[in-house]
Amino acid sequence: MAEPALTNTGEALTRPAGWQQIAADWSSDQRAFKNVSWGKVMMWIFLLSDTFIFSCFLLSYMTVRMSTTVPWPNPSEVFALTIGGKSIPLILIAIMTFILISSSGTMAMAVNFGYRRDRARTAALMLATAAFGATFVGMQAFEWTKLITEGVRPWGNPWGAVQFGSSFFMITGFHGTHVTIGVIFLIIMARKVWRGDFDQERRGFFTSRKGNYEVVEIMGLYWHFVDLVWVFIFALFYLW
């Protein structure tokens, strides 16, 4: 049976009951994501789907590593750099991790100053975050070049299990693509903030309503996700 409800004027309004009521609530956005902008909701949905993809990659990597009968290459030896005649294990990876985690701090400050409508500091911090991200990608490109020069391929490597190369290039390459996309969008959004597009309500790519810097927070959600994923990659691929 239908259940009566009161409107703002005090008049009775008939609402469906049971499953029809649940469908009506969700379709009319009465309860789902209430008071949350669609831009932020869509970013959360995208990040959730991306979480599943990265989880599948990491679970597949762990399954392959535990099931292979051939010894897995030692990450401390594979990713070591020779500096001053000494081989230092994982030094490049440690620096990359420090840079990416530091970029989360600058991104968080950019969001903070964005909601204060401080255009200069917001744009500067977004550009600093983009610079950290570009540095990370550059160091990752150096890492790839070094391993390829040493004979690592998706189908084999000189140190052990052939699955090492495919796992490495797939996981780090997919993550590096996310970082690169984030750097591009950070530069675009920083330029818009610097020009005052959000204050003047200037029409354009991803320009929201006047005075609304929420897009900076949405970029922050994406960037923090990318950083968090790297923590898992660092722990499972480089330290394990």
Side-chain angles (χ1 to χ4, degrees):
M1 293 179 62
E3 299 177 357
L6 295 179
T7 63
N8 294 333
T9 60
E11 298 177 356
L13 178 65
T14 302
R15 295 194 307 177
W19 289 106
Q20 292 181 349
Q21 179 179 349
I22 296 175
D25 285 344
W26 277 84
S27 61
S28 62
D29 198 31
Q30 293 178 18
R31 296 178 181 175
F33 306 115
K34 192 172 184 178
N35 298 325
V36 179
S37 69
W38 278 110
K40 193 179 295 185
V41 170
M42 291 299 102
M43 178 53 72
W44 277 113
I45 293 176
F46 167 76
L47 295 181
L48 180 62
S49 63
D50 232 19
T51 300
F52 290 137
I53 296 175
F54 275 108
S55 297
C56 289
F57 282 171
L58 291 174
L59 287 173
S60 299
Y61 154 72
M62 289 187 289
T63 301
V64 167
R65 181 164 179 176
M66 290 186 294
S67 61
T68 181
T69 56
V70 181
W72 195 263
N74 186 352
S76 297
E77 298 176 358
V78 174
F79 300 107
L81 281 182
T82 302
I83 302 176
K86 296 182 179 180
S87 180
I88 305 176
L90 300 176
I91 181 64
L92 180 65
I93 311 304
I95 296 174
M96 291 168 60
T97 303
F98 175 78
I99 288 174
L100 204 58
I101 292 177
S102 298
S103 70
S104 273
T106 55
M107 189 69 236
M109 289 190 289
V111 173
N112 185 15
F113 284 113
Y115 276 109
R116 296 182 187 181
R117 300 186 182 182
D118 189 333
R119 290 194 291 118
R121 292 183 180 180
T122 302
L125 286 166
M126 291 181 74
L127 289 175
T129 305
F132 279 132
T135 303
F136 175 88
V137 174
M139 297 179 77
Q140 192 170 64
F142 171 80
E143 178 191 32
W144 275 43
T145 303
K146 175 179 175 293
L147 291 181
I148 291 173
T149 303
E150 292 174 350
V152 179
R153 300 291 187 272
W155 53 85
N157 65 87
W159 302 294
V162 296
Q163 297 92 335
F164 171 82
S166 58
S167 300
F168 170 77
F169 289 123
M170 178 184 66
I171 295 174
T172 60
F174 193 62
H175 178 266
T177 302
H178 279 69
V179 177
T180 304
I181 293 172
V183 169
I184 294 172
F185 273 87
L186 279 170
I187 295 173
I188 294 173
M189 291 299 109
R191 180 173 178 268
K192 285 183 169 292
V193 171
W194 182 264
R195 293 194 311 176
D197 289 7
F198 300 106
D199 294 322
Q200 302 170 12
E201 202 174 1
R202 182 181 299 171
R203 291 190 177 184
F205 186 61
F206 282 127
T207 302
S208 59
R209 60 185 180 274
K210 188 173 182 179
N212 188 354
Y213 284 80
E214 189 180 63
V215 68
V216 180
E217 181 184 359
I218 294 174
M219 278 299 309
L221 291 174
Y222 175 86
W223 195 258
H224 293 318
F225 170 79
V226 170
D227 292 355
L228 180 61
V229 169
W230 177 255
V231 171
F232 284 96
I233 295 175
F234 177 71
L236 295 175
F237 200 94
Y238 295 98
L239 296 184
W240 183 17

